[in-house]
């Protein structure tokens, strides 16, 4: 198996790089574009053959999947792991096959000036895509979208339905992101022949499958491929510089107008790049920092071009927020005002659907964030769905956007092949998320093994590259406060520290927290003179487990631990501490180990989103911090009126 996967992966890495040519605008309806969702039930078959390669050898893509063998119903989007009662599928490693028959509207097919795009929001980890048995694309990486132009293939079979086949492989190796390792356990008396396991160094379950929406969408042949906006303001005038890239014509005519929430056009311009000035600007403000947070304008982009004898037109509407971000040696500034992250770390994780996008869950989580008085979260430990970031834009929830660079612990995962892929992932991430006002900082990795000599140069290259891709946002990586200083930290704009005093060390000794936390802050700020975010801290609490005086794993212990951290945070936030993100928003699934009781229980909410005692501590605190700024109308100052 190892060899086959490896061969496919090498091709995938090349292809991913190749795919970078184009922009990745979120598919939206417009007068010139149509979107069709392909979510729902797909046919599914896991390749349980010993080498996991029967699907390729027997070309399962060449005909209906049901003709290759037994298929089952599989919902999309969802992880496949928790859908059935089959333990083999829950812990499956290798290729699984998805298939759906779809009709494409005849008006799409007949109009040769229409591009027909197939887009997968994300599939973990490698994907290969066929339409009617013809390969149309492949992609490496489990958390970012990819797409293929399927117009030519679909038009070959006008009048019949289209068969879309997607093979997805969740195998992680030293050079994937996140990295992992497949180990063969060759001991005939202890393990069956050919036995292997996937091991990883990260603390969440390696859910797999098609995790986000699959869409078909159209654009004209001459189309808006990418838009980049950068915003600023001076007094009450907003400044929005834009760049539109158009494909399919060398001399397109581009017009842009900016429309406010009253549908009034407040600025317009012609040309593929330019600067819009907006008088009486409504700035984009974070939740709880302004009475009207998350103000969005709409940038309406219109392109016309001659194509042969016809005239083509494309239109795309991009929500935009006008705001600035800056960092000093002690502050994080949004719109020139000090911003304090009082927020959470999350995971894309829930019962049954695993990492599958789920609207009820997304809306529930936003309601809980607001209930908590949280103004921010970090997308630990990978890029989240675009739909989530759109919610953040609209609600004013500030985001630290993280790459899937988690669990980089083996020396081989610092090699050039890993770095090359990591750089590609940063490009895909920045390209996808650069226009979200909610995203205020990039995190290139979480806790890479800092003690290994290659860690420093690896992080230095990543940070430098990310700054080249986007000079408007600060860049960081997340380090554990126990790790050696100097490995990469000198290059970041904000120092982000994870620490678990009285949990992974000095177990049960809550009384040491304030001393150790104080030392941590003074050492790191003393050395680097940069603002600090406490990017993780927390304790497992099994819901319903109680003991007073507090014992580890009880709700009382989690509560007491959070409170012990908070008193030191209060001292340091007067100086250089610019944020605190509790680990974690909700309990989440992990691999099985003696360290975890059916998952990580450091959530302040259960996995089903019910509050533990710790949630009330955080809620009380976050509203108090928000109220200190005094910008909130009195009616919303819960719980301290
Ligand atoms: C960490 C990791 C996070 C873990 C957490 C824990 O430092 O960044 O992925 O889940 O600690 O609970 O151990």
């Amino acid at each position: 198996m190892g060899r086959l996967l490896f061969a496919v992966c090498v091709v995938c890495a090349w292809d991913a790089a190749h795919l970078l040519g184009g922009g990745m605008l979120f598919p939206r309806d417009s007068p010139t574009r149509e979107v069709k969702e392909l979510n729902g039930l797909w046919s599914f078959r896991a390749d349980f053959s010993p080498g996991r390669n029967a699907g390729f050898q027997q070309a399962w893509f060449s005909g209906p999947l049901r003709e290759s063998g037994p298929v089952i119903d599989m919902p999309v989007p969802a992880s496949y792991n928790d859908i059935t009662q089959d333990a083999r599928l829950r812990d499956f490693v290798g290729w699984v096959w998805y298939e759906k028959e779809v009709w494409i509207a005849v008006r799409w097919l007949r109009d040769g000036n229409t591009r027909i795009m197939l887009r997968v929001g994300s599939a973990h980890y490698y994907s290969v895509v066929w339409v009617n048995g013809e390969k149309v694309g492949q992609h490496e990486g489990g958390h970012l979208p990819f797409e293929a132009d399927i117009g030519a293939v679909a038009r070959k079979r006008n009048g019949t339905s289209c068969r879309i086949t997607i093979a997805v492989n969740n195998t992680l190796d030293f050079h994937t992101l996140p990295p992992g390792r497949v180990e063969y356990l060759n001991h005939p008396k202890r393990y069956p022949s050919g036995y292997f396991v996937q091991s990883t160094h990260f603390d969440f379950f390696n859910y797999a499958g098609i995790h986000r929406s699959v869409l078909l969408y159209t654009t004209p042949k001459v189309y808006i491929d990418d838009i980049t906006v950068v915003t600023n303001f001076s007094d009450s005038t907003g400044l929005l510089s834009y760049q539109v890239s158009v494909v399919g014509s060398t001399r397109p005519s581009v017009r842009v107008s900016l429309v406010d929430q009253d549908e009034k056009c407040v600025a317009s311009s012609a040309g593929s790049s330019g600067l819009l000035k907006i008088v009486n600007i409504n700035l984009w403000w974070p939740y709880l920092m302004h009475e009207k947070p998350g103000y969005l304008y709409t940038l309406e982009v219109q392109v016309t071009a001659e194509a042969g004898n016809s005239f083509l037109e494309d239109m795309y509407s991009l929500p935009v927020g006008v705001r600035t971000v800056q960092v000093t040696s002690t502050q994080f500034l949004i719109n020139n005002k000090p911003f304090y992250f009082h927020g959470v770390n999350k995971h894309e994780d829930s019962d049954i659907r695993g990492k599958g996008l789920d609207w009820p869950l997304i809306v529930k989580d936003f309601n809980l964030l607001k209930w908590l008085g949280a103004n921010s979260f970090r997308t630990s430990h990978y890029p989240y769905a675009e739909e989530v970031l759109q919610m953040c834009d609209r609600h004013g929830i500030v985001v630290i956007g993280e790459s899937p660079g988690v669990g980089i612990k083996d020396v081989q995962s610092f090699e050039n092949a890993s770095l090359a892929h990591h750089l590609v992932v940063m490009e895909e991430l920045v390209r996808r998320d650069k226009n979200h006002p909610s995203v205020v900082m990039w995190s290139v990795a979480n806790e890479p093994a800092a003690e290994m000599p290659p860690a420093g140069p690896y992080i230095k290259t990543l940070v430098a590259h990310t700054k080249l891709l986007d000079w408007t946002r600060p860049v960081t990586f997340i380090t554990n406060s126990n790790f050696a200083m100097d490995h990469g930290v000198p290059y970041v704009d904000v120092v982000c520290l994870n620490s678990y005093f009285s949990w992974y060390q000095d177990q049960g000794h809550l009384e040491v927290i304030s001393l150790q936390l104080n030392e941590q802050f003074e050492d790191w700020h003393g050395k680097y003179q940069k603002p600090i975010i406490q990017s993780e801290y927390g304790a497992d609490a099994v819901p319903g487990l109680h003991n007073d005086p507090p014992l580890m794993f009880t709700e009382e212990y989690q509560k007491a631990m959070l409170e012990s951290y908070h008193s030191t945070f209060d001292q340091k936030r007067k100086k250089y501490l610019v944020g605190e993100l509790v680990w974690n928003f909700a309990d989440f699934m992990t691999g099985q180990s003696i360290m975890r009781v059916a998952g990580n229980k450091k959530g302040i909410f259960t996995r089903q989103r019910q509050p533990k005692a710790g949630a009330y501590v955080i809620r009380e605190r976050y509203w108090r911090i928000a109220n200190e700024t005094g910008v909130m109308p009195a009616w919303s100052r819960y719980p301290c009126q």
Side-chain angles (χ1 to χ4, degrees):
M1 179 182 87
R3 238 177 300 137
L4 175 93
L5 288 182
F6 181 70
V8 173
C9 300
V10 168
V11 179
C12 290
W14 180 84
D15 233 57
H18 194 65
L19 284 172
L20 281 175
M24 286 300 270
L25 291 175
F26 185 75
R28 293 177 193 281
D29 277 326
S30 83
T32 59
R33 295 170 172 233
E34 286 182 71
V35 180
K36 178 182 161 109
E37 265 196 9
L38 304 183
N39 297 343
L41 292 185
W42 287 52
S43 297
F44 177 90
R45 184 171 180 202
D47 184 346
F48 284 109
S49 65
R52 300 290 194 259
N53 53 0
F56 284 92
Q57 282 173 348
Q58 297 161 16
W60 290 359
F61 49 84
S62 63
L65 193 57
R66 62 178 179 279
E67 289 175 9
S68 75
V71 295
I72 59 172
D73 285 343
M74 189 55 69
V76 169
S79 303
Y80 58 73
N81 309 76
D82 291 344
I83 298 293
T84 73
Q85 297 306 100
D86 187 347
R88 292 178 314 152
L89 188 58
R90 183 190 141 83
D91 294 319
F92 184 78
V93 180
W95 290 102
V96 299
W97 293 72
Y98 286 79
E99 182 204 79
K100 193 166 180 81
E101 293 271 342
V102 300
W103 285 98
I104 299 186
V106 76
R107 65 177 184 283
W108 290 15
L109 293 168
R110 280 200 192 134
D111 181 358
N113 284 324
T114 294
R115 288 167 75 234
I116 306 175
M117 303 300 295
L118 172 67
R119 173 170 170 127
V120 180
S122 76
H124 190 69
Y125 177 81
Y126 300 99
S127 305
V128 185
V129 185
W130 297 262
V131 171
N132 295 334
E134 272 189 54
K135 188 169 153 199
V136 293
Q138 55 190 12
H139 181 256
E140 173 176 2
H143 310 89
L144 288 163
F146 54 94
E147 57 182 34
D149 185 340
I150 65 160
V153 182
R155 285 187 177 103
K156 284 188 191 163
R157 292 225 318 231
N158 228 331
T160 55
S161 61
C162 239
R163 199 180 65 253
I164 298 172
T165 314
I166 307 181
V168 185
N169 191 327
N170 62 347
T171 312
L172 301 178
D173 65 26
F174 287 124
H175 302 309
T176 58
L177 266 196
R181 178 181 183 185
V182 172
E183 284 174 88
Y184 286 86
L185 300 164
N186 297 320
H187 194 305
K189 289 195 186 146
R190 294 188 184 164
Y191 300 101
S193 108
Y195 193 78
F196 63 87
V197 287
Q198 166 85 75
S199 60
T200 57
H201 289 296
F202 52 82
D203 183 33
F204 53 92
F205 189 72
N206 190 32
Y207 277 113
I210 303 181
H211 284 156
R212 298 180 190 151
S213 295
V214 182
L215 305 173
L216 285 176
Y217 74 95
T218 63
T219 77
K221 273 264 149 69
V222 174
Y223 62 96
I224 301 159
D225 183 49
D226 200 9
I227 305 170
T228 307
V229 299
V230 174
T231 63
N232 204 339
F233 67 96
S234 167
D235 300 322
S236 63
T237 305
L239 302 168
L240 185 149
S241 87
Y242 70 87
Q243 195 161 5
V244 177
S245 89
V246 177
V247 172
S249 163
T250 46
R251 290 178 49 221
S253 141
V254 179
R255 284 203 60 77
V256 301
S257 17
L258 193 71
V259 177
D260 71 11
Q261 291 190 349
D262 299 321
E263 292 180 20
K264 215 174 89 209
C265 175
V266 292
S268 60
S269 174
S272 57
S273 60
L275 180 71
L276 300 180
K277 290 193 179 160
I278 312 122
V279 292
N280 295 327
I281 184 72
N282 285 303
L283 292 175
W284 185 94
W285 286 101
Y287 174 54
L288 299 177
M289 207 171 166
H290 194 267
E291 287 184 31
K292 235 182 165 189
Y295 191 97
L296 295 177
Y297 293 87
T298 306
L299 187 72
E300 291 182 351
V301 181
Q302 193 173 359
V303 166
T304 48
E306 268 180 59
N309 294 334
S310 50
F311 221 63
L312 293 184
E313 189 179 19
D314 191 19
M315 287 161 85
Y316 188 89
S317 296
L318 180 76
V320 293
V322 177
R323 59 108 185 90
T324 59
V325 176
Q326 275 160 306
V327 168
T328 71
S329 62
T330 56
Q331 288 179 313
F332 196 99
L333 303 170
I334 295 185
N335 299 337
N336 301 334
K337 294 242 169 79
F339 176 75
Y340 187 76
F341 295 78
H342 42 94
V344 300
N345 289 279
K346 289 185 94 260
H347 261 298
E348 291 188 320
D349 175 274
S350 71
D351 286 335
I352 302 171
R353 65 267 300 138
K355 291 199 176 303
L357 180 129
D358 180 53
W359 277 111
L361 181 80
I362 291 174
V363 176
K364 178 73 177 174
D365 281 3
F366 273 79
N367 287 333
L368 290 175
L369 288 171
K370 290 186 159 186
W371 179 86
L372 279 178
N375 63 1
S376 50
F377 66 81
R378 161 177 162 227
T379 69
S380 43
H381 290 307
Y382 37 79
Y384 291 1
E386 291 156 286
E387 289 84 344
V388 172
L389 297 178
Q390 289 161 6
M391 287 281 282
C392 291
D393 291 345
R394 287 180 32 238
H395 292 271
I397 300 294
V398 169
V399 174
I400 300 173
E402 188 155 294
S403 90
V406 55
I408 308 177
K409 303 288 187 193
D410 196 287
V411 73
Q412 292 183 63
S413 297
F414 288 106
E415 286 174 353
N416 285 344
S418 292
L419 182 59
H421 176 57
H422 206 146
L423 296 174
V424 168
V425 170
M426 289 315 299
E427 287 179 23
E428 290 185 21
L429 173 62
V430 172
R431 176 165 305 142
R432 190 193 72 160
D433 292 347
K434 63 189 169 188
N435 294 323
H436 287 288
S438 56
V439 178
V440 299
M441 179 156 69
W442 304 114
S443 157
V444 298
N446 179 68
E447 295 188 0
E451 69 283 4
M452 291 190 181
Y458 186 97
I459 292 161
K460 181 179 178 186
T461 309
L462 274 174
V463 170
H465 188 70
T466 308
K467 281 177 187 278
L468 270 182
L469 295 169
D470 179 6
W471 52 269
T472 70
R473 288 175 176 89
V475 180
T476 191
F477 84 102
I478 314 290
T479 189
N480 190 295
S481 67
N482 286 333
F483 288 179
M485 295 183 171
D486 288 338
H487 293 280
V489 181
Y491 315 113
V492 303
D493 298 302
V494 176
V495 173
C496 287
L497 297 174
N498 297 346
S499 44
Y500 288 90
F501 306 124
S502 93
W503 190 259
Y504 290 118
Q505 66 236 37
D506 301 305
Q507 293 162 3
H509 291 285
L510 293 163
E511 65 278 8
V512 304
I513 292 177
S514 56
L515 270 176
Q516 297 189 359
L517 192 57
N518 186 64
E519 186 200 20
Q520 162 198 294
F521 284 136
E522 292 301 302
D523 283 359
W524 287 82
H525 189 260
K527 173 136 184 152
Y528 293 111
Q529 302 293 306
K530 293 180 184 187
I532 298 182
I533 293 177
Q534 181 76 39
S535 40
E536 285 181 28
Y537 71 107
D540 287 75
V542 177
L545 196 61
H546 293 285
N547 208 85
D548 192 13
L551 283 182
M552 288 178 81
F553 292 101
T554 63
E555 294 200 30
E556 285 75 10
Y557 193 90
Q558 186 188 49
K559 189 168 167 256
M561 180 202 246
L562 299 178
E563 283 167 345
S564 305
Y565 272 76
H566 293 163
S567 49
T568 307
F569 291 166
D570 281 337
Q571 292 161 24
K572 304 301 174 192
R573 73 192 170 91
K574 295 190 191 106
K575 298 179 172 175
Y576 47 74
L577 183 69
V578 297
E580 54 189 83
L581 305 174
V582 67
W583 189 265
N584 191 284
F585 173 73
D587 293 346
F588 58 90
M589 192 45 69
T590 63
Q592 300 185 57
S593 86
I594 50 161
M595 297 280 285
R596 300 287 175 247
V597 188
N600 186 311
K601 296 281 188 281
K602 292 194 186 68
I604 53 170
F605 295 100
T606 65
R607 202 180 190 210
Q608 296 72 35
R609 275 49 181 182
Q610 295 307 318
K612 302 183 196 170
Y616 296 98
V617 172
I618 294 286
R619 183 179 193 226
E620 173 77 29
R621 173 173 177 77
Y622 284 1
W623 279 99
R624 182 164 57 75
I625 294 175
N627 288 338
E628 279 170 18
T629 65
V631 297
M632 295 305 299
W635 54 264
S636 65
R637 292 187 187 184
Y638 185 85
C640 336
Q641 293 287 335

